[in-house]
Amino acid sequence: MTSWLLYIPDLVGTFVFAISGAMLGVRRQLDLFGVLVLSFAAASCGGLIRDLIIGAVPPAAFADWRYVAVSCAAGVITFYRYALIERLQNPVQVFDAMGLALFCVAGALKSLNYGLGPVAAVLMGMLTGIGGGIVRDVLVAEVPRVLRSELYAIAALAGAALLVTGKWLGLPDLPLMAAGAGLCFFLRFMAIRHGWKLPVARYDEDS
Amino acid sequence: MTSWLLYIPDLVGTFVFAISGAMLGVRRQLDLFGVLVLSFAAASCGGLIRDLIIGAVPPAAFADWRYVAVSCAAGVITFYRYALIERLQNPVQVFDAMGLALFCVAGALKSLNYGLGPVAAVLMGMLTGIGGGIVRDVLVAEVPRVLRSELYAIAALAGAALLVTGKWLGLPDLPLMAAGAGLCFFLRFMAIRHGWKLPVARYDEDS
Amino acid sequence: MTSWLLYIPDLVGTFVFAISGAMLGVRRQLDLFGVLVLSFAAASCGGLIRDLIIGAVPPAAFADWRYVAVSCAAGVITFYRYALIERLQNPVQVFDAMGLALFCVAGALKSLNYGLGPVAAVLMGMLTGIGGGIVRDVLVAEVPRVLRSELYAIAALAGAALLVTGKWLGLPDLPLMAAGAGLCFFLRFMAIRHGWKLPVARYDEDS
């Protein structure tokens, strides 16, 4: 039941995350294969690393070929229609926030189901949401954007934490997932709109 | 049987891949230890990541000490005889193509044996061939060469795909492996000879 | 028994390694979240990768929430009191050497307990000690310091090798661990004091 309900938004999230990878690949002048690798990395590496950590092998990213297919489709479209995708950046950001919201909640739930403790499950939820973007940026030798700016990871953390807290209180899955994803989406959306950020340490470049 | 037949070329492939890592390490002025780490990373990280994904722990790279020994030997030789190795670059490229051909076929076969689906097995074959080079380049903070140029990954993909298709048709292992490896080697060799490349997206640096 | 004896120094090592990650994060102007990620990466990714390789899932870094808590505490303190931590750099280096000594010995022992062979166990011990620093540096797109300078990895390797050799000879755990950790600490300490280094290959930048 839950899994069917998750499946469609999961593929949508994969598609949108893959677009972020493909756009970076095009900007960095990779060839078509490189763009597809970045699409897949951005879309699936968060869940992939989570699955390795919780012991769910082979990871969903490879156990179901549709994820790879969706990533590749997003990559090919971005590769050949970059200008179009760039003009759609605002809707893409909103979809990306939706993908983040879904991934953090689904990742936390899966981790609980594999027997992880509450703190670990919250972290796994966040990792599911942000891990792909970290691998994507590392692959082009950049400091991951999520480590530097905006309320991206915190939104995922909050959504996962809400879900895990609710499960601990014995609340039912579906409303919890909706609430967790909603909280994550709201925080991320406000961060985009109003430029909400975390503090950066004061540091003089001298030393 | 098959495993004995694979073992010698597998070690040869490991040796040649390790040389590519060691050469990069020397060029980037790493110390001896750094050169050995890059040798091992280039030679074994593709298979290592594959083994983690398909659930073959501990991975072959550590279960058999000979792989580490071969990597280290290649690293030490390259470290102390860099000029010699550089003069041999053409034969090294040919051996590297042979290593790629073998790794992609062996990786796909192992993944099928661990119960992965056909699409995943093809991808695992490719990952076995190119994963080491990706980790090698990430470790020196460069964009992986395989994402930018030449028909490297596609050759591995084609070889793995041929093997998986043949297994699906019920063909016997040995001729299939020879055919898959041969196809990969042929494509890679032609790419080196004739500079075959994938398209790169048109993109203006302005935005 | 052994585990209790290890637990406190393990948390201390985690704390000190986390400080090294947090300091790098502050210097690279990451936001608070980025600093915490680097703290955790530096402190726990060595053991995390080791646990994935030896098949100990979920890894200790997530199975016990205290590791995350200790990393975060170190990250927050460094974020808000960077100047203080920097003035303490000498003691921090000594604590770091103690963390390295403990991690290499504990990592090798755990790998033996999971059935790895002696060569692999020594390498896993070293990986436990240096893996976190490698991930930390890769995350900010730098060539890992351990690949370039000083007797860092070799100290961990020597400590792990002493432990594994002793186990092979049937010696008891505790004195072995003390001896292995002592050797690692001694080598690392002398490297800091006297600038002991490994050779770097002669290489002209021209080619």
Side-chain angles (χ1 to χ4, degrees):
Chain A
M1 286 297 288
T2 311
S3 69
W4 268 106
L5 202 81
L6 276 174
Y7 197 57
I8 301 298
D10 205 20
L11 288 178
V12 173
T14 301
F15 188 83
V16 181
F17 273 36
I19 285 178
S20 81
M23 289 181 76
L24 183 61
V26 170
R27 280 201 298 272
R28 297 297 301 261
Q29 307 269 41
L30 304 185
D31 67 13
L32 177 56
F33 174 75
V35 169
L36 295 184
V37 168
L38 247 63
S39 306
F40 177 77
S44 295
C45 275
L48 179 59
I49 298 173
R50 176 206 61 213
D51 283 352
L52 293 181
I53 288 176
I54 66 176
V57 290
F62 289 109
D64 182 342
W65 60 269
R66 287 176 195 85
Y67 291 105
V68 174
V70 164
S71 291
C72 285
V76 168
I77 292 170
T78 308
F79 188 80
Y80 287 109
R81 291 284 175 273
Y82 183 81
L84 173 70
I85 300 285
E86 203 165 43
R87 240 175 299 135
L88 296 174
Q89 199 143 28
N90 276 339
V92 165
Q93 265 199 326
V94 174
F95 277 115
D96 184 85
M98 288 168 59
L100 182 70
L102 182 86
F103 278 21
C104 74
V105 161
L109 191 60
K110 182 169 186 177
S111 302
L112 285 177
N113 289 341
Y114 272 79
L116 269 76
V119 174
V122 171
L123 292 171
M124 288 298 110
M126 183 183 73
L127 178 64
T128 309
I130 70 171
I134 290 178
V135 174
R136 173 198 69 199
D137 294 347
V138 164
L139 280 176
V140 293
E142 287 181 9
V143 180
R145 217 179 310 166
V146 71
L147 303 184
R148 277 187 307 185
S149 64
E150 297 172 50
L151 232 59
Y152 198 92
I154 301 300
L157 195 65
L162 184 61
L163 179 111
V164 170
T165 310
K167 287 288 284 183
W168 183 66
L169 295 170
L171 302 179
D173 276 16
L174 277 186
L176 260 183
M177 294 181 68
L183 175 62
C184 173
F185 180 79
F186 170 75
L187 287 174
R188 178 66 193 135
F189 188 78
M190 296 307 274
I192 296 171
R193 269 290 156 96
H194 303 294
W196 287 359
K197 292 192 180 192
L198 284 179
V200 171
R202 261 171 264 148
Y203 173 71
D204 295 320
E205 279 283 353
D206 307 326
S207 57
Chain B
M1 288 296 288
T2 310
S3 69
W4 269 105
L5 202 80
L6 275 174
Y7 197 57
I8 302 298
D10 205 21
L11 288 178
V12 174
T14 300
F15 188 83
V16 181
F17 273 37
I19 285 178
S20 81
M23 289 181 75
L24 183 60
V26 170
R27 280 201 298 271
R28 297 297 300 263
Q29 307 269 42
L30 305 185
D31 66 13
L32 176 55
F33 174 75
V35 169
L36 295 183
V37 168
L38 248 62
S39 306
F40 177 78
S44 295
C45 276
L48 180 59
I49 298 173
R50 175 206 61 212
D51 284 352
L52 293 182
I53 289 175
I54 67 177
V57 290
F62 289 108
D64 182 343
W65 61 270
R66 287 176 195 87
Y67 291 105
V68 174
V70 164
S71 291
C72 285
V76 168
I77 292 170
T78 307
F79 187 80
Y80 287 108
R81 291 284 176 271
Y82 183 80
L84 173 70
I85 300 285
E86 202 164 44
R87 241 175 299 135
L88 295 173
Q89 197 143 28
N90 276 339
V92 164
Q93 266 199 327
V94 174
F95 277 115
D96 184 85
M98 288 168 58
L100 183 70
L102 182 85
F103 278 22
C104 75
V105 161
L109 191 61
K110 182 167 186 179
S111 302
L112 285 177
N113 289 342
Y114 272 79
L116 268 76
V119 174
V122 171
L123 293 171
M124 287 299 109
M126 183 183 72
L127 177 65
T128 309
I130 70 172
I134 291 178
V135 174
R136 173 198 69 199
D137 294 347
V138 165
L139 280 177
V140 293
E142 287 182 9
V143 180
R145 220 179 307 166
V146 71
L147 302 185
R148 278 186 307 184
S149 65
E150 299 172 51
L151 232 60
Y152 198 94
I154 301 300
L157 195 66
L162 184 62
L163 178 113
V164 170
T165 310
K167 288 287 284 181
W168 184 66
L169 294 171
L171 302 180
D173 275 16
L174 277 186
L176 259 184
M177 295 179 68
L183 175 62
C184 173
F185 181 79
F186 170 76
L187 287 174
R188 178 67 194 134
F189 188 77
M190 297 305 275
I192 296 172
R193 268 290 156 96
H194 303 294
W196 286 359
K197 292 193 180 190
L198 285 179
V200 171
R202 261 170 263 149
Y203 172 70
D204 295 321
E205 278 282 355
D206 307 327
S207 56
Chain C
M1 285 297 288
T2 311
S3 69
W4 268 107
L5 202 81
L6 275 174
Y7 197 58
I8 301 298
D10 205 20
L11 288 179
V12 173
T14 300
F15 188 83
V16 181
F17 273 36
I19 284 178
S20 82
M23 289 181 76
L24 183 60
V26 170
R27 280 201 298 271
R28 297 297 301 262
Q29 307 268 43
L30 304 185
D31 66 13
L32 176 56
F33 174 74
V35 169
L36 295 183
V37 168
L38 248 65
S39 305
F40 177 77
S44 295
C45 275
L48 180 60
I49 299 173
R50 176 205 62 212
D51 283 351
L52 293 181
I53 288 176
I54 66 177
V57 289
F62 289 109
D64 182 342
W65 61 270
R66 288 177 195 85
Y67 291 105
V68 174
V70 164
S71 291
C72 285
V76 168
I77 292 169
T78 307
F79 188 81
Y80 287 109
R81 290 286 177 271
Y82 183 81
L84 173 70
I85 300 286
E86 201 164 45
R87 240 175 300 135
L88 295 173
Q89 198 142 27
N90 277 338
V92 165
Q93 265 198 326
V94 174
F95 277 115
D96 184 85
M98 288 169 58
L100 182 71
L102 181 87
F103 278 22
C104 74
V105 161
L109 191 61
K110 182 168 185 178
S111 301
L112 286 176
N113 289 342
Y114 272 79
L116 269 77
V119 175
V122 171
L123 293 171
M124 288 299 109
M126 183 183 73
L127 178 64
T128 309
I130 71 172
I134 291 179
V135 173
R136 173 198 69 198
D137 294 348
V138 164
L139 280 177
V140 293
E142 288 181 9
V143 180
R145 219 179 308 166
V146 71
L147 303 184
R148 278 186 306 184
S149 65
E150 298 174 50
L151 233 60
Y152 198 93
I154 301 300
L157 195 66
L162 183 62
L163 178 112
V164 170
T165 309
K167 287 288 284 184
W168 184 66
L169 295 171
L171 303 179
D173 275 16
L174 277 186
L176 260 183
M177 295 181 68
L183 175 62
C184 173
F185 181 79
F186 170 76
L187 288 174
R188 178 67 193 134
F189 188 77
M190 296 306 275
I192 295 172
R193 268 291 157 95
H194 303 293
W196 287 0
K197 291 193 181 190
L198 285 179
V200 171
R202 262 171 263 147
Y203 172 70
D204 295 321
E205 279 282 357
D206 306 327
S207 55

